Amino acid sequence: MGNTLGDMVKQESKELQWNLLQSDAFYLELTSNTFQDRTPQDICKSVIKNSQKIEWIWQIMQKITQSWNTPNLVINLMLMLKHFFLFVFSEGIPYQFLFHHRAENHVENHDSSFHRLVPCHLTYKGEGRTIYISVPQSLTYEKQKEQAYLIETIKSNFPQVNDHITRTNERIYMVDDDGRNADIDDIYRHYNAESAEDVLSDPFKRSTKIYSIFKANINTTECDMDSPMSIFLKELIENLANSDTDKEIHKMQTGINLLLILLSSQLYYVEKPISKLRYSSFKPSPVIDILMNQPIEIGQQFIWKLLEVTIKYWKIEMPKLGYLSVLWNNNLKKLRMDESVYVAPRQALSLFLFLQGYYRAKNPFSMRNWEISWNEIGRLVSEQIENSMILLLFYNLSAHNPSFQTYLLSLTEPERFLEPMACYLYSAPKDCFRLYLTLITIHRLANDRNFIKFINNDVILQQIPWLQDFHIDSISLGSLLYLGLIKIYRENIRGTKDEYLHVISSSCLFFLAEFSVNLHEIPSMELLNIIKALVVKHNKLIAAETPASEIDANKDLIYLSIDILTKILFSTYTTNSYLLYAILHHSELFTKLKESDLLSTNIEIINEIISYLLAHIETENIMEGINTFCKTFKFSRAPEYLIFKDITSIQFFEEGRRWEECIIPYLWAETVNGLITLPNMEKILLFKV
């Protein structure tokens, strides 16, 4: 790792020479682009194998906490840890030593004198059991020994727990109903309290005191919750949460980067799959369990700090210096520090999304139902919606924070974020996950009737530069969005045939239809062209005596498309002249449908409209006639939607574990694409899931 670290490893002393570790030269060495590639592996191996030198890892962690107000030293120490952790993970070295106590706890001749047995109701994976725990009566006791005996008691009373940790080499810990860690100290304090709500007489003491029974949940993890690593991460989160984003951004970026590196162990450790490689084959970092056991106050403060960094520094441009200027160390350090500022908001957003994405029953970092001023976040999201990570932030906030959704719907310029979405849809993208997010976000916005009316009636766009297929002088934002949705719907029918994509895109079209007033001529024609193409295909399938299943599938697509068309007509008939013109243009198609095996109530309704308009409109002024006589037409009956039937809304839910399986691989793919540098990328298989 260079001369500085090389000299350190040769030292026989157990103590590090801290004065060697805060120089600018050492910082430049640690932040070199080629540092990871030329890091001598023998140095890392020497640290791992030497019991004295492995203590350096814990010393460095302690020093970071103790010297938090000494930025140069703290930054260099966190960079050292980052490189060491990357070496351990990328080489596939068992990492448990990083997360366990320095010395294993063994129960030897537990002295039960001056102890009493107290009842505790413990639950493991839904199975509850009341057992009796030996608790010291004296105020002074050796917590480590008492905690070890508590764990042994749990193992002897819960065989399934003992079997699990024997197979997996995991650790046992307890949490209360609020997700907070619980240990022997909590049991001791509980049974020395003055009162309780649920009364239970203490049978082991001659007194009139009554106690509520102590309750906790048993969990297992690869880490000890009071190990040096756990203590360090708790203090790191607290320090980062309380840092000044103006004065301490370089230190914050290094800390955020370190947390991402610790999470990246998931990419390198894979259990042998039984059949095919699945997300469950990858072992989540033990850091997740440590973080998820932090107090909710700190968790909420920390994620807000991550958003604050994202908002404040996102627009910083990547620094550039001339070739000669980087030859001088002062300029080179400034360049590296400026690069740190540039990457800080992107890494902060990545960590924010990871903390939202990992599923745990108790997540102190979950950002839900916040009531804050969304102006700054909304401005960033609107301006940067084309970025995949920003889109994911947009989705996350709108899905879990009704006040953010309300803020979006109140914007007077919704085209700032909706036009890029329409452009993305029209480009027929290959990124399925981002496409799903875009469609679901649009679907949620479509639930607000006034908003949909607003973007169709009042938000008119001039000259759409990315829409090269058509010459359009002006178009409503609603029509532009509908055009993008129709393109996705059509392309999926033609090629991809993604069932989930089909459900989302078609339901978006159907539920937007009710308020799609003044639909532009282009999306109007495109919708009719889809119906025509499907009917032509139907006739070919019939002629070729294709299997009934394929014919029925195509027939469903025809009915679905006609459902969408009829929904628009029935809801906004008098304000959709261009759509009526497109229908008259294809009048022959609907006449043939009326006489075919595809006949339905909705096809009859469309033919009634065609007959009425053709009977009243003069051919010389078709659009004028449509605008006049469409107002006098009365529907003889209500439509019958053969596919959507009586469905009035569709809700999207994130199912804990399944959402994690979907979001985490996507996040890692985005994160390793320029945000963090990982060695041995060829060993990473997660992106193939």
Side-chain angles (χ1 to χ4, degrees), residues 425 427-433 435-436 439 487-503 505 537 557:
L425 295 177
S427 68
K430 304 299 182 183
D431 186 343
C432 288
F433 184 74
L435 182 55
Y436 295 155
L439 289 170
K487 177 76 174 287
I488 289 294
Y489 176 68
R490 184 188 69 201
E491 294 304 313
N492 190 55
I493 291 174
R494 284 181 175 177
T496 312
K497 295 180 174 59
D498 183 321
E499 291 185 13
Y500 190 60
L501 184 58
H502 177 67
V503 170
S505 59
K537 182 179 179 180
L557 290 174

PDB file of all heavy atoms in Angstrom, residues 425 427-433 435-436 439 487-503 505 537 557:
ATOM      1  N   LEU A 425     -40.741   7.435 -22.242  1.00  0.00           N
ATOM      2  CA  LEU A 425     -41.669   6.407 -22.694  1.00  0.00           C
ATOM      3  C   LEU A 425     -41.641   6.279 -24.218  1.00  0.00           C
ATOM      4  O   LEU A 425     -41.624   5.178 -24.764  1.00  0.00           O
ATOM      5  CB  LEU A 425     -43.088   6.730 -22.230  1.00  0.00           C
ATOM      6  CG  LEU A 425     -43.355   6.714 -20.723  1.00  0.00           C
ATOM      7  CD1 LEU A 425     -44.800   7.118 -20.443  1.00  0.00           C
ATOM      8  CD2 LEU A 425     -43.073   5.349 -20.130  1.00  0.00           C
ATOM      9  N   SER A 427     -39.293   6.873 -26.228  1.00  0.00           N
ATOM     10  CA  SER A 427     -38.023   6.355 -26.748  1.00  0.00           C
ATOM     11  C   SER A 427     -37.967   4.835 -26.743  1.00  0.00           C
ATOM     12  O   SER A 427     -36.969   4.248 -27.164  1.00  0.00           O
ATOM     13  CB  SER A 427     -36.856   6.919 -25.924  1.00  0.00           C
ATOM     14  OG  SER A 427     -36.885   6.389 -24.607  1.00  0.00           O
ATOM     15  N   ALA A 428     -39.036   4.170 -26.266  1.00  0.00           N
ATOM     16  CA  ALA A 428     -39.103   2.704 -26.182  1.00  0.00           C
ATOM     17  C   ALA A 428     -37.862   2.143 -25.493  1.00  0.00           C
ATOM     18  O   ALA A 428     -37.072   1.404 -26.073  1.00  0.00           O
ATOM     19  CB  ALA A 428     -39.257   2.103 -27.576  1.00  0.00           C
ATOM     20  N   PRO A 429     -37.647   2.479 -24.213  1.00  0.00           N
ATOM     21  CA  PRO A 429     -36.408   2.123 -23.511  1.00  0.00           C
ATOM     22  C   PRO A 429     -36.293   0.624 -23.239  1.00  0.00           C
ATOM     23  O   PRO A 429     -37.287  -0.108 -23.210  1.00  0.00           O
ATOM     24  CB  PRO A 429     -36.531   2.896 -22.198  1.00  0.00           C
ATOM     25  CG  PRO A 429     -38.001   3.038 -21.982  1.00  0.00           C
ATOM     26  CD  PRO A 429     -38.600   3.187 -23.345  1.00  0.00           C
ATOM     27  N   LYS A 430     -35.045   0.189 -23.022  1.00  0.00           N
ATOM     28  CA  LYS A 430     -34.770  -1.221 -22.729  1.00  0.00           C
ATOM     29  C   LYS A 430     -34.646  -1.481 -21.235  1.00  0.00           C
ATOM     30  O   LYS A 430     -34.665  -2.641 -20.806  1.00  0.00           O
ATOM     31  CB  LYS A 430     -33.467  -1.644 -23.418  1.00  0.00           C
ATOM     32  CG  LYS A 430     -33.453  -1.405 -24.930  1.00  0.00           C
ATOM     33  CD  LYS A 430     -34.540  -2.194 -25.633  1.00  0.00           C
ATOM     34  CE  LYS A 430     -34.482  -1.980 -27.150  1.00  0.00           C
ATOM     35  NZ  LYS A 430     -35.573  -2.691 -27.867  1.00  0.00           N
ATOM     36  N   ASP A 431     -34.499  -0.433 -20.440  1.00  0.00           N
ATOM     37  CA  ASP A 431     -34.353  -0.571 -18.990  1.00  0.00           C
ATOM     38  C   ASP A 431     -35.730  -0.832 -18.374  1.00  0.00           C
ATOM     39  O   ASP A 431     -36.478   0.088 -18.069  1.00  0.00           O
ATOM     40  CB  ASP A 431     -33.731   0.703 -18.405  1.00  0.00           C
ATOM     41  CG  ASP A 431     -33.414   0.582 -16.916  1.00  0.00           C
ATOM     42  OD1 ASP A 431     -33.953  -0.335 -16.268  1.00  0.00           O
ATOM     43  OD2 ASP A 431     -32.634   1.410 -16.410  1.00  0.00           O
ATOM     44  N   CYS A 432     -36.062  -2.108 -18.208  1.00  0.00           N
ATOM     45  CA  CYS A 432     -37.414  -2.466 -17.762  1.00  0.00           C
ATOM     46  C   CYS A 432     -37.737  -1.900 -16.383  1.00  0.00           C
ATOM     47  O   CYS A 432     -38.838  -1.402 -16.159  1.00  0.00           O
ATOM     48  CB  CYS A 432     -37.572  -3.982 -17.740  1.00  0.00           C
ATOM     49  SG  CYS A 432     -37.666  -4.708 -19.379  1.00  0.00           S
ATOM     50  N   PHE A 433     -36.774  -1.968 -15.470  1.00  0.00           N
ATOM     51  CA  PHE A 433     -37.065  -1.531 -14.109  1.00  0.00           C
ATOM     52  C   PHE A 433     -37.373  -0.040 -14.064  1.00  0.00           C
ATOM     53  O   PHE A 433     -38.332   0.390 -13.425  1.00  0.00           O
ATOM     54  CB  PHE A 433     -35.901  -1.856 -13.187  1.00  0.00           C
ATOM     55  CG  PHE A 433     -36.176  -1.522 -11.748  1.00  0.00           C
ATOM     56  CD1 PHE A 433     -37.029  -2.298 -10.994  1.00  0.00           C
ATOM     57  CD2 PHE A 433     -35.600  -0.410 -11.154  1.00  0.00           C
ATOM     58  CE1 PHE A 433     -37.310  -1.985  -9.676  1.00  0.00           C
ATOM     59  CE2 PHE A 433     -35.868  -0.088  -9.836  1.00  0.00           C
ATOM     60  CZ  PHE A 433     -36.725  -0.883  -9.097  1.00  0.00           C
ATOM     61  N   LEU A 435     -38.467   1.692 -16.478  1.00  0.00           N
ATOM     62  CA  LEU A 435     -39.740   1.863 -17.179  1.00  0.00           C
ATOM     63  C   LEU A 435     -40.909   1.566 -16.243  1.00  0.00           C
ATOM     64  O   LEU A 435     -41.908   2.294 -16.221  1.00  0.00           O
ATOM     65  CB  LEU A 435     -39.775   0.939 -18.390  1.00  0.00           C
ATOM     66  CG  LEU A 435     -41.010   1.005 -19.290  1.00  0.00           C
ATOM     67  CD1 LEU A 435     -41.260   2.425 -19.761  1.00  0.00           C
ATOM     68  CD2 LEU A 435     -40.837   0.065 -20.471  1.00  0.00           C
ATOM     69  N   TYR A 436     -40.798   0.503 -15.444  1.00  0.00           N
ATOM     70  CA  TYR A 436     -41.843   0.193 -14.467  1.00  0.00           C
ATOM     71  C   TYR A 436     -42.052   1.366 -13.510  1.00  0.00           C
ATOM     72  O   TYR A 436     -43.186   1.769 -13.228  1.00  0.00           O
ATOM     73  CB  TYR A 436     -41.472  -1.038 -13.646  1.00  0.00           C
ATOM     74  CG  TYR A 436     -41.374  -2.334 -14.416  1.00  0.00           C
ATOM     75  CD1 TYR A 436     -40.586  -3.375 -13.943  1.00  0.00           C
ATOM     76  CD2 TYR A 436     -42.057  -2.531 -15.610  1.00  0.00           C
ATOM     77  CE1 TYR A 436     -40.487  -4.583 -14.631  1.00  0.00           C
ATOM     78  CE2 TYR A 436     -41.960  -3.718 -16.304  1.00  0.00           C
ATOM     79  CZ  TYR A 436     -41.178  -4.740 -15.816  1.00  0.00           C
ATOM     80  OH  TYR A 436     -41.075  -5.918 -16.495  1.00  0.00           O
ATOM     81  N   LEU A 439     -43.877   4.277 -15.175  1.00  0.00           N
ATOM     82  CA  LEU A 439     -45.298   4.011 -15.400  1.00  0.00           C
ATOM     83  C   LEU A 439     -46.093   4.021 -14.095  1.00  0.00           C
ATOM     84  O   LEU A 439     -47.210   4.566 -14.039  1.00  0.00           O
ATOM     85  CB  LEU A 439     -45.461   2.657 -16.100  1.00  0.00           C
ATOM     86  CG  LEU A 439     -45.023   2.613 -17.569  1.00  0.00           C
ATOM     87  CD1 LEU A 439     -45.001   1.185 -18.075  1.00  0.00           C
ATOM     88  CD2 LEU A 439     -45.929   3.473 -18.433  1.00  0.00           C
ATOM     89  N   LYS A 487     -47.183   4.426 -27.235  1.00  0.00           N
ATOM     90  CA  LYS A 487     -45.980   3.855 -27.864  1.00  0.00           C
ATOM     91  C   LYS A 487     -45.488   2.644 -27.062  1.00  0.00           C
ATOM     92  O   LYS A 487     -45.168   1.594 -27.640  1.00  0.00           O
ATOM     93  CB  LYS A 487     -44.887   4.940 -27.912  1.00  0.00           C
ATOM     94  CG  LYS A 487     -43.550   4.477 -28.475  1.00  0.00           C
ATOM     95  CD  LYS A 487     -43.578   4.349 -29.976  1.00  0.00           C
ATOM     96  CE  LYS A 487     -42.194   4.034 -30.551  1.00  0.00           C
ATOM     97  NZ  LYS A 487     -41.282   5.189 -30.520  1.00  0.00           N
ATOM     98  N   ILE A 488     -45.452   2.755 -25.749  1.00  0.00           N
ATOM     99  CA  ILE A 488     -45.029   1.626 -24.912  1.00  0.00           C
ATOM    100  C   ILE A 488     -45.996   0.455 -25.065  1.00  0.00           C
ATOM    101  O   ILE A 488     -45.584  -0.704 -25.219  1.00  0.00           O
ATOM    102  CB  ILE A 488     -44.949   2.055 -23.430  1.00  0.00           C
ATOM    103  CG1 ILE A 488     -43.758   2.982 -23.208  1.00  0.00           C
ATOM    104  CG2 ILE A 488     -44.843   0.843 -22.511  1.00  0.00           C
ATOM    105  CD1 ILE A 488     -42.412   2.321 -23.426  1.00  0.00           C
ATOM    106  N   TYR A 489     -47.275   0.752 -25.029  1.00  0.00           N
ATOM    107  CA  TYR A 489     -48.317  -0.273 -25.163  1.00  0.00           C
ATOM    108  C   TYR A 489     -48.168  -1.012 -26.497  1.00  0.00           C
ATOM    109  O   TYR A 489     -48.195  -2.245 -26.551  1.00  0.00           O
ATOM    110  CB  TYR A 489     -49.683   0.411 -25.054  1.00  0.00           C
ATOM    111  CG  TYR A 489     -50.878  -0.482 -25.257  1.00  0.00           C
ATOM    112  CD1 TYR A 489     -51.197  -1.476 -24.340  1.00  0.00           C
ATOM    113  CD2 TYR A 489     -51.714  -0.303 -26.364  1.00  0.00           C
ATOM    114  CE1 TYR A 489     -52.313  -2.284 -24.522  1.00  0.00           C
ATOM    115  CE2 TYR A 489     -52.833  -1.104 -26.547  1.00  0.00           C
ATOM    116  CZ  TYR A 489     -53.125  -2.094 -25.623  1.00  0.00           C
ATOM    117  OH  TYR A 489     -54.235  -2.891 -25.799  1.00  0.00           O
ATOM    118  N   ARG A 490     -47.958  -0.248 -27.552  1.00  0.00           N
ATOM    119  CA  ARG A 490     -47.846  -0.843 -28.892  1.00  0.00           C
ATOM    120  C   ARG A 490     -46.588  -1.690 -29.041  1.00  0.00           C
ATOM    121  O   ARG A 490     -46.633  -2.818 -29.535  1.00  0.00           O
ATOM    122  CB  ARG A 490     -47.852   0.272 -29.942  1.00  0.00           C
ATOM    123  CG  ARG A 490     -47.827  -0.235 -31.384  1.00  0.00           C
ATOM    124  CD  ARG A 490     -47.640   0.912 -32.344  1.00  0.00           C
ATOM    125  NE  ARG A 490     -46.299   1.493 -32.235  1.00  0.00           N
ATOM    126  CZ  ARG A 490     -45.992   2.717 -32.646  1.00  0.00           C
ATOM    127  NH1 ARG A 490     -46.928   3.518 -33.139  1.00  0.00           N
ATOM    128  NH2 ARG A 490     -44.758   3.159 -32.532  1.00  0.00           N
ATOM    129  N   GLU A 491     -45.444  -1.136 -28.599  1.00  0.00           N
ATOM    130  CA  GLU A 491     -44.188  -1.863 -28.761  1.00  0.00           C
ATOM    131  C   GLU A 491     -44.172  -3.141 -27.936  1.00  0.00           C
ATOM    132  O   GLU A 491     -43.567  -4.139 -28.332  1.00  0.00           O
ATOM    133  CB  GLU A 491     -43.016  -0.958 -28.369  1.00  0.00           C
ATOM    134  CG  GLU A 491     -42.815   0.238 -29.281  1.00  0.00           C
ATOM    135  CD  GLU A 491     -42.632  -0.174 -30.737  1.00  0.00           C
ATOM    136  OE1 GLU A 491     -41.839  -1.092 -30.996  1.00  0.00           O
ATOM    137  OE2 GLU A 491     -43.306   0.419 -31.610  1.00  0.00           O
ATOM    138  N   ASN A 492     -44.831  -3.114 -26.777  1.00  0.00           N
ATOM    139  CA  ASN A 492     -44.874  -4.321 -25.951  1.00  0.00           C
ATOM    140  C   ASN A 492     -45.728  -5.401 -26.612  1.00  0.00           C
ATOM    141  O   ASN A 492     -45.411  -6.591 -26.550  1.00  0.00           O
ATOM    142  CB  ASN A 492     -45.424  -3.998 -24.562  1.00  0.00           C
ATOM    143  CG  ASN A 492     -45.260  -5.154 -23.599  1.00  0.00           C
ATOM    144  OD1 ASN A 492     -44.170  -5.668 -23.395  1.00  0.00           O
ATOM    145  ND2 ASN A 492     -46.361  -5.597 -23.014  1.00  0.00           N
ATOM    146  N   ILE A 493     -46.812  -4.984 -27.282  1.00  0.00           N
ATOM    147  CA  ILE A 493     -47.648  -5.937 -28.010  1.00  0.00           C
ATOM    148  C   ILE A 493     -46.865  -6.547 -29.173  1.00  0.00           C
ATOM    149  O   ILE A 493     -46.924  -7.752 -29.425  1.00  0.00           O
ATOM    150  CB  ILE A 493     -48.928  -5.248 -28.536  1.00  0.00           C
ATOM    151  CG1 ILE A 493     -49.853  -4.885 -27.371  1.00  0.00           C
ATOM    152  CG2 ILE A 493     -49.653  -6.145 -29.535  1.00  0.00           C
ATOM    153  CD1 ILE A 493     -51.064  -4.077 -27.791  1.00  0.00           C
ATOM    154  N   ARG A 494     -46.103  -5.707 -29.841  1.00  0.00           N
ATOM    155  CA  ARG A 494     -45.371  -6.168 -31.023  1.00  0.00           C
ATOM    156  C   ARG A 494     -44.232  -7.125 -30.689  1.00  0.00           C
ATOM    157  O   ARG A 494     -44.031  -8.128 -31.368  1.00  0.00           O
ATOM    158  CB  ARG A 494     -44.789  -4.969 -31.769  1.00  0.00           C
ATOM    159  CG  ARG A 494     -45.798  -4.179 -32.579  1.00  0.00           C
ATOM    160  CD  ARG A 494     -45.101  -3.026 -33.281  1.00  0.00           C
ATOM    161  NE  ARG A 494     -45.999  -2.295 -34.166  1.00  0.00           N
ATOM    162  CZ  ARG A 494     -45.638  -1.214 -34.856  1.00  0.00           C
ATOM    163  NH1 ARG A 494     -44.402  -0.746 -34.753  1.00  0.00           N
ATOM    164  NH2 ARG A 494     -46.506  -0.609 -35.641  1.00  0.00           N
ATOM    165  N   GLY A 495     -43.479  -6.769 -29.631  1.00  0.00           N
ATOM    166  CA  GLY A 495     -42.265  -7.546 -29.419  1.00  0.00           C
ATOM    167  C   GLY A 495     -42.061  -8.124 -28.040  1.00  0.00           C
ATOM    168  O   GLY A 495     -42.046  -9.338 -27.842  1.00  0.00           O
ATOM    169  N   THR A 496     -41.915  -7.262 -27.046  1.00  0.00           N
ATOM    170  CA  THR A 496     -41.478  -7.707 -25.720  1.00  0.00           C
ATOM    171  C   THR A 496     -42.443  -8.678 -25.062  1.00  0.00           C
ATOM    172  O   THR A 496     -42.043  -9.693 -24.504  1.00  0.00           O
ATOM    173  CB  THR A 496     -41.278  -6.490 -24.784  1.00  0.00           C
ATOM    174  OG1 THR A 496     -40.512  -5.496 -25.461  1.00  0.00           O
ATOM    175  CG2 THR A 496     -40.577  -6.912 -23.515  1.00  0.00           C
ATOM    176  N   LYS A 497     -43.719  -8.331 -25.111  1.00  0.00           N
ATOM    177  CA  LYS A 497     -44.780  -9.138 -24.488  1.00  0.00           C
ATOM    178  C   LYS A 497     -44.518  -9.387 -22.998  1.00  0.00           C
ATOM    179  O   LYS A 497     -44.693 -10.485 -22.482  1.00  0.00           O
ATOM    180  CB  LYS A 497     -44.952 -10.463 -25.230  1.00  0.00           C
ATOM    181  CG  LYS A 497     -45.446 -10.287 -26.672  1.00  0.00           C
ATOM    182  CD  LYS A 497     -45.602 -11.608 -27.374  1.00  0.00           C
ATOM    183  CE  LYS A 497     -46.229 -11.415 -28.760  1.00  0.00           C
ATOM    184  NZ  LYS A 497     -45.447 -10.531 -29.640  1.00  0.00           N
ATOM    185  N   ASP A 498     -44.077  -8.332 -22.339  1.00  0.00           N
ATOM    186  CA  ASP A 498     -43.862  -8.366 -20.888  1.00  0.00           C
ATOM    187  C   ASP A 498     -45.224  -8.204 -20.213  1.00  0.00           C
ATOM    188  O   ASP A 498     -45.873  -7.175 -20.354  1.00  0.00           O
ATOM    189  CB  ASP A 498     -42.915  -7.220 -20.504  1.00  0.00           C
ATOM    190  CG  ASP A 498     -42.575  -7.199 -19.022  1.00  0.00           C
ATOM    191  OD1 ASP A 498     -43.470  -7.468 -18.198  1.00  0.00           O
ATOM    192  OD2 ASP A 498     -41.417  -6.901 -18.687  1.00  0.00           O
ATOM    193  N   GLU A 499     -45.655  -9.224 -19.471  1.00  0.00           N
ATOM    194  CA  GLU A 499     -46.999  -9.199 -18.883  1.00  0.00           C
ATOM    195  C   GLU A 499     -47.169  -8.043 -17.900  1.00  0.00           C
ATOM    196  O   GLU A 499     -48.197  -7.363 -17.886  1.00  0.00           O
ATOM    197  CB  GLU A 499     -47.282 -10.535 -18.181  1.00  0.00           C
ATOM    198  CG  GLU A 499     -47.438 -11.701 -19.148  1.00  0.00           C
ATOM    199  CD  GLU A 499     -47.825 -12.978 -18.431  1.00  0.00           C
ATOM    200  OE1 GLU A 499     -48.201 -12.900 -17.246  1.00  0.00           O
ATOM    201  OE2 GLU A 499     -47.754 -14.049 -19.051  1.00  0.00           O
ATOM    202  N   TYR A 500     -46.152  -7.840 -17.043  1.00  0.00           N
ATOM    203  CA  TYR A 500     -46.261  -6.774 -16.044  1.00  0.00           C
ATOM    204  C   TYR A 500     -46.313  -5.411 -16.724  1.00  0.00           C
ATOM    205  O   TYR A 500     -47.109  -4.542 -16.361  1.00  0.00           O
ATOM    206  CB  TYR A 500     -45.077  -6.861 -15.085  1.00  0.00           C
ATOM    207  CG  TYR A 500     -45.195  -5.966 -13.883  1.00  0.00           C
ATOM    208  CD1 TYR A 500     -46.251  -6.093 -12.987  1.00  0.00           C
ATOM    209  CD2 TYR A 500     -44.242  -4.985 -13.621  1.00  0.00           C
ATOM    210  CE1 TYR A 500     -46.361  -5.265 -11.877  1.00  0.00           C
ATOM    211  CE2 TYR A 500     -44.338  -4.159 -12.517  1.00  0.00           C
ATOM    212  CZ  TYR A 500     -45.397  -4.306 -11.653  1.00  0.00           C
ATOM    213  OH  TYR A 500     -45.509  -3.489 -10.563  1.00  0.00           O
ATOM    214  N   LEU A 501     -45.471  -5.239 -17.741  1.00  0.00           N
ATOM    215  CA  LEU A 501     -45.463  -3.984 -18.488  1.00  0.00           C
ATOM    216  C   LEU A 501     -46.805  -3.770 -19.188  1.00  0.00           C
ATOM    217  O   LEU A 501     -47.320  -2.643 -19.255  1.00  0.00           O
ATOM    218  CB  LEU A 501     -44.326  -4.013 -19.513  1.00  0.00           C
ATOM    219  CG  LEU A 501     -44.093  -2.747 -20.331  1.00  0.00           C
ATOM    220  CD1 LEU A 501     -43.806  -1.571 -19.432  1.00  0.00           C
ATOM    221  CD2 LEU A 501     -42.945  -2.971 -21.317  1.00  0.00           C
ATOM    222  N   HIS A 502     -47.378  -4.839 -19.685  1.00  0.00           N
ATOM    223  CA  HIS A 502     -48.682  -4.759 -20.353  1.00  0.00           C
ATOM    224  C   HIS A 502     -49.773  -4.290 -19.383  1.00  0.00           C
ATOM    225  O   HIS A 502     -50.586  -3.427 -19.715  1.00  0.00           O
ATOM    226  CB  HIS A 502     -49.040  -6.124 -20.929  1.00  0.00           C
ATOM    227  CG  HIS A 502     -50.385  -6.188 -21.567  1.00  0.00           C
ATOM    228  ND1 HIS A 502     -50.695  -5.500 -22.727  1.00  0.00           N
ATOM    229  CD2 HIS A 502     -51.528  -6.827 -21.195  1.00  0.00           C
ATOM    230  CE1 HIS A 502     -51.964  -5.723 -23.045  1.00  0.00           C
ATOM    231  NE2 HIS A 502     -52.491  -6.519 -22.138  1.00  0.00           N
ATOM    232  N   VAL A 503     -49.760  -4.842 -18.180  1.00  0.00           N
ATOM    233  CA  VAL A 503     -50.773  -4.471 -17.179  1.00  0.00           C
ATOM    234  C   VAL A 503     -50.649  -2.995 -16.813  1.00  0.00           C
ATOM    235  O   VAL A 503     -51.642  -2.256 -16.781  1.00  0.00           O
ATOM    236  CB  VAL A 503     -50.631  -5.348 -15.914  1.00  0.00           C
ATOM    237  CG1 VAL A 503     -51.506  -4.793 -14.781  1.00  0.00           C
ATOM    238  CG2 VAL A 503     -51.020  -6.782 -16.215  1.00  0.00           C
ATOM    239  N   SER A 505     -49.038  -0.416 -18.442  1.00  0.00           N
ATOM    240  CA  SER A 505     -49.251   0.538 -19.535  1.00  0.00           C
ATOM    241  C   SER A 505     -50.727   0.611 -19.930  1.00  0.00           C
ATOM    242  O   SER A 505     -51.270   1.703 -20.151  1.00  0.00           O
ATOM    243  CB  SER A 505     -48.393   0.164 -20.752  1.00  0.00           C
ATOM    244  OG  SER A 505     -48.705  -1.138 -21.212  1.00  0.00           O
ATOM    245  N   LYS A 537     -54.394  -8.737 -37.748  1.00  0.00           N
ATOM    246  CA  LYS A 537     -53.723  -9.937 -37.248  1.00  0.00           C
ATOM    247  C   LYS A 537     -54.738 -11.020 -36.902  1.00  0.00           C
ATOM    248  O   LYS A 537     -54.514 -12.211 -37.164  1.00  0.00           O
ATOM    249  CB  LYS A 537     -52.882  -9.583 -36.014  1.00  0.00           C
ATOM    250  CG  LYS A 537     -52.110 -10.770 -35.458  1.00  0.00           C
ATOM    251  CD  LYS A 537     -51.268 -10.380 -34.253  1.00  0.00           C
ATOM    252  CE  LYS A 537     -50.519 -11.594 -33.712  1.00  0.00           C
ATOM    253  NZ  LYS A 537     -49.685 -11.246 -32.524  1.00  0.00           N
ATOM    254  N   LEU A 557     -56.593  -8.514 -26.663  1.00  0.00           N
ATOM    255  CA  LEU A 557     -55.910  -7.246 -26.941  1.00  0.00           C
ATOM    256  C   LEU A 557     -56.827  -6.294 -27.708  1.00  0.00           C
ATOM    257  O   LEU A 557     -56.821  -5.080 -27.472  1.00  0.00           O
ATOM    258  CB  LEU A 557     -54.620  -7.500 -27.727  1.00  0.00           C
ATOM    259  CG  LEU A 557     -53.475  -8.176 -26.963  1.00  0.00           C
ATOM    260  CD1 LEU A 557     -52.322  -8.489 -27.903  1.00  0.00           C
ATOM    261  CD2 LEU A 557     -52.997  -7.285 -25.826  1.00  0.00           C
TER     262      LEU A 557
END
